[in-house]
Structures are given as C-alpha cells and as structure tokens.
C-alpha cells in the first residue's frame, strides 16, 4: 500500500462516522498540510457515496490546525443524492474540536470526455531541469517533502521582492503512487505560496478556505501545477491554481483565500 | 425600505433559526435566482455575528430550486468565532426540504485598505452606451429584470456560436439602493451565463456551487462585472467573475461550477 493510502486510511464506524490517524509525515512545520486533511475528509465522503466517488467541487474551511500523530474522528453526511451528484459535508475532529469543515458535490469524472474550452498547460522545462522544493522553508522543516517530489520552474525559484506572484512546477508522490482525484486535493495545496515571488517569503500564509474543482481523472505520471496570486489586499489574498496531467489535460482548478502577514 | 432589503427580510426565531418569504420577483423563469437565495442566507449569518458582518468567503451548494412566493426557514450556526473570522453555515429550507447549503467565513471588510496586487477593472463603454439586459431570455421571463438594471457591453451581446465566453456589464438596483457586500452576492449571480458567447444560448445552466470572495466595501454607484468561462468539459463549466465598484476598485471575486446541457 502506498504511503498516501496508508496514511489516509479510515475505519468506518457506521452512521457516517470514521476514525483514522493524522500522520505527522505530511506536515509543514508541526501542522499537518491542509490538503492532506482535506483528502482524508474526501475519502470519508467517497465511502458514503460509492455511486459518486469523485469530488467535482469541494470546499474546506480551516478552523484550527490539525494535530500530527493524533487520532481523528470524521463525521460525514450526504445532504442530497441525485442522479448526477451527491451533495455532502464532513467535519474532521481531533481532541474534541472541529479542525476542518468540508462541503462538496461528488459525482463521476469522465475518463475521456472532450473539452469544449480547456486552459492549456503552461510551458515549463522537464522535471529533471527544475529545482526540487527544499524540505526547509525559512528555517521551518517540511516533513511533507519526504512524501512528495516537487520540482519548481527554475525562473521562479527566488524570493526577492518584486517578481511575479506565480509558481509553476511538477509534483508526484515519492513512492511512485499514481495520481488520482483524491491525491489532486493534496497536490492543490502542496506548492509554496505563489505570493512569495512578489513580496518575498513572508512566513506563515494560513489558508482560510480552499475550493477545488476536479475536472477529469489524471493520467499516469507527473502532475504539472501553476499557482498565481492576482489579488492581495488588506492582509488577505486569493490564489488560483490549476493542475494538468502528464498528457497536458486539465485535471483540477483550485482557489484559496489565505491570510498574509504583510502590511497592505 | 428598498425592494432588496424588504424582500430579503428575516425574522429571528432564536437559536439561529429565521423565517422569511421568498419573493417571486427575483426569479429567472419560475426559479428564484441563486444569488438572491444566497443573500438571504448570508443575512441570517450576519445576524448571528454582528462583530463579523461581512462574507469574506461564502460557498453555496444548490440542492433544489427555491420556491417563489413561499415562506422559508433558515437555520444558521456559528461553527467557530475567532478574532478575525467567524466560520458559519446555514441551510435554507422550504416545504420541509433543504434548498441551499451555505458555508462561510465572515469578518470585517476594510474600507480603504491599499491593495498590494489588484486586478484592474476592464475598459467598457459607460452604462448609457451599453445594452440593457432583456427581461426575456429564449422565451423565459426574467422577473428579476424588474428589480435589477443590467447594461451589457455592446460587443458581447450576441448569441452566435464561436464568440468569446465572456460577458461584461454594469449592474445596479432599479430602485436606487446602494450596493453593499450582501448585494454583491446577488450581483455575482445575475449576469447572463458567459458561456452563451461561445456556444450560443443553451437554455438552463444550473449552478451546482458558487463561491464568492468579498474584497472591499463598494462605493456608491454602478457595479461593473466581468464573467468568463475558461473551462467547459463533460457538461460542466467553471465560470469566473469579478466585480468592481464605480471607483474602479475590486469588490468581489466569484467562481461557480454549473451544468451545461451541451454535448462535449
């Protein structure tokens, strides 16, 4: 079993309740990565809706940091199930407190549907010519970088103030597990904040809310991600991201609201 | 009292419960507009969090069409309240069925905060030189057009196949009520689907999920909106929108997942 599958494993307790263990190995500093927690919640929902296994739209609000190395309890619920979609929610609790709240529409991602309009994948050097993301960010350890292989566009790896608020790069699991829609939720929240390129590294950029739209099942191989911050004001930023698979097809769009510890 | 305030009025019943009447006057055909229903739910949340009156991030899932001319019951709940944010949810029920489910982070929008990065308002002719949105769309009556004044960019008012999937225009209340953050939720869902410009009018484009991020309080006057569909595949589209106030400042970003009755 892959590290990701093993470390997001849930045990069904019935009535939409699940229990699991939040691994410390997908953390940024001492906080479990938000995409990792979202993936666990998504798995609980998928277990309730076998006819609609894929998160077509999933929104998570981060109420409190997760606790690595501690058990979690998830309560998931199907609010409405129709022919095309199941609307669901889930709460991930640790230590008797809600850590994340999730609302989602699950359905079936087509395998080979033609796109009428599709954002093209950006041009980027191959993974071997990109720069591995460091496991250390401004002195903060990133245990997650022992689980994920991230290669960043060499032109964007700089933290000097005044560059573009954009980050482009490749991502895959270190242990070779193939990407899938649940993994895409993790990949949507695993790149360095794109705003670093514009205003310099600013430390912690906590996510308030993240919404991911899955668009198709990814092919085998690397995933290409591009993230941009086009809107930063009053200490809050909106970051938009897209993920493409190794064949250049769009697999997901993501948008998050995050707080920035920066005047303005 | 303005039409919008009057027709989104809620009576608090205690314990986060509210009741109101869904007006038939904000409908597209016989279905109350989704942004109108969202505004009602947002008002219920704001009533619970007077210290955090503004929806910084609000996501709505549309479970079933609303029922015009019928009462509604809203159940709102504060999930967590911190210094900067209150995370909340709300369910709008009619006829004993949930119609919409809302999750949101409420806070305080700065009045005059400087932006570090801000998307510029597009160039568009003044309202007098734009084309009023019709109260009839492919034979479907739009009662909401008696409440809203919408003027569309003359170059984009066409439904022939092959144009850009973009719509730009001005919006305001017909009765002169000023815009505010709650009204911006309505304005984020009141323009014609931008995909009409690309694939021709396709009838009903039901929204599955809509997320709006409020960025600042709008100034007095017209609101300028621009909406684009950059991703349409497998019968589902992602539409992105932005709203600017009369001084050219960005007041909101919006993104929705909608179903399209179109092959591909």
């Amino acid at each position: 079993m892959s590290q990701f599958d093993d470390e997001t494993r849930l045990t069904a307790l019935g009535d939409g309740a699940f229990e699991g263990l939040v691994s410390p190995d997908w953390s940024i500093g001492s906080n479990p990565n938000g995409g990792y927690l979202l993936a666990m919640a998504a798995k609980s929902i998928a277990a309730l809706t076998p006819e609609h296994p894929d998160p077509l739209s999933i929104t998570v609000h981060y109420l409190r940091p997760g606790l690595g190395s501690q058990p979690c309890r998830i309560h998931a619920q199907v609010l409405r199930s129709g022919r095309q979609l199941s609307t669901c929610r889930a709460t991930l609790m640790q230590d008797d407190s809600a850590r994340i709240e999730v609302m989602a529409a699950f359905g079936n991602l087509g395998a080979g549907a033609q796109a009428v309009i599709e954002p093209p994948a950006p041009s980027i050097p191959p993974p071997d010519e990109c720069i591995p993301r460091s496991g250390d960010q401004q002195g903060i350890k990133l245990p997650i970088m022992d689980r994920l292989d991230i290669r960043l566009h060499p032109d964007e790896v700089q933290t000097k103030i005044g560059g573009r608020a954009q980050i482009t790069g490749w991502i895959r699991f270190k242990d070779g597990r193939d990407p899938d829609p649940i993994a895409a939720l993790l990949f949507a929240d695993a790149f360095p904040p794109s705003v670093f390129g514009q205003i310099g590294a600013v430390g912690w950029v906590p996510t308030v809310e993240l919404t991911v739209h899955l668009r198709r099942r990814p092919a085998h191989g690397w995933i290409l991600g591009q993230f941009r911050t086009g809107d930063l004001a009053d200490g809050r930023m909106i970051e938009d991201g897209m993920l493409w698979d190794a064949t250049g097809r769009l697999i997901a769009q993501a948008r998050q609201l995050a707080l920035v510890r920066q005047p303005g």
Side-chain angles (χ1 to χ4, degrees), chain A:
Chain A
M1 183 181 271
S2 78
Q3 293 168 331
F4 181 67
D5 296 302
D6 186 41
E7 291 163 359
T8 57
R9 197 175 56 230
L10 299 174
T11 302
L13 306 175
D15 282 336
F18 297 83
E19 65 180 10
L21 177 70
V22 174
S23 163
D25 294 323
W26 301 85
S27 290
I28 308 288
S30 58
N31 290 332
N33 169 268
Y36 165 66
L37 296 176
L38 175 59
M40 293 186 86
K43 284 181 71 169
S44 77
I45 293 171
L48 292 188
T49 61
E51 74 287 11
H52 291 145
D54 301 315
L56 304 185
S57 162
I58 188 163
T59 294
V60 54
H61 282 251
Y62 292 99
L63 278 62
R64 300 173 181 87
L67 304 171
S69 309
Q70 293 201 25
C72 68
R73 181 71 72 102
I74 302 177
H75 296 275
Q77 182 185 4
V78 179
L79 301 170
R80 178 172 188 272
S81 195
R83 190 176 56 83
Q84 284 186 277
L85 299 172
S86 293
T87 310
C88 307
R89 69 180 174 212
T91 306
L92 186 152
M93 318 266 301
Q94 288 187 285
D95 202 15
D96 290 331
S97 291
R99 305 286 155 172
I100 71 171
E101 286 281 343
V102 173
M103 186 154 49
F106 273 57
N108 282 282
L109 286 173
Q114 288 303 303
V116 179
I117 309 173
E118 183 174 358
S123 168
I124 175 176
D128 285 353
E129 297 171 22
C130 288
I131 313 294
R133 183 180 185 187
S134 165
D136 185 303
Q137 181 175 287
Q138 306 170 70
I140 298 168
K141 293 272 178 225
L142 308 185
I144 194 173
M145 293 313 300
D146 288 332
R147 289 285 183 270
L148 294 175
D149 189 353
I150 300 179
R151 312 283 181 88
L152 303 174
H153 195 304
D155 296 348
E156 295 169 348
V157 179
Q158 45 86 14
T159 56
K160 71 174 195 294
I161 294 176
R164 285 184 76 183
Q166 175 177 297
I167 195 93
T168 312
W170 302 96
I171 188 168
R172 66 177 178 186
F173 288 108
K174 276 213 167 158
D175 67 3
R177 181 195 188 277
D178 265 331
D180 66 9
I182 300 292
L185 303 177
L186 170 69
F187 294 173
D189 193 38
F191 283 77
S194 58
V195 73
F196 285 1
Q198 168 89 14
I199 61 173
V202 291
W204 195 237
V205 184
T207 303
V208 173
E209 170 265 328
L210 167 68
T211 296
V212 185
H213 294 107
L214 270 290
R215 307 297 289 143
R216 65 174 58 231
R217 305 193 150 276
H220 169 81
W222 286 95
I223 296 292
L224 173 58
Q226 185 167 67
F227 297 83
R228 288 182 183 159
T229 302
D231 179 0
L232 165 57
D234 206 15
R236 300 185 310 278
M237 57 176 251
I238 309 279
E239 181 185 76
D240 288 327
M242 294 191 190
L243 298 173
W244 295 264
D245 70 13
T247 70
R249 304 306 305 265
L250 183 76
I251 64 155
Q253 292 208 52
R255 174 173 286 179
Q256 68 169 261
L257 173 68
L259 304 179
V260 183
R261 307 285 186 233
Q262 173 85 1

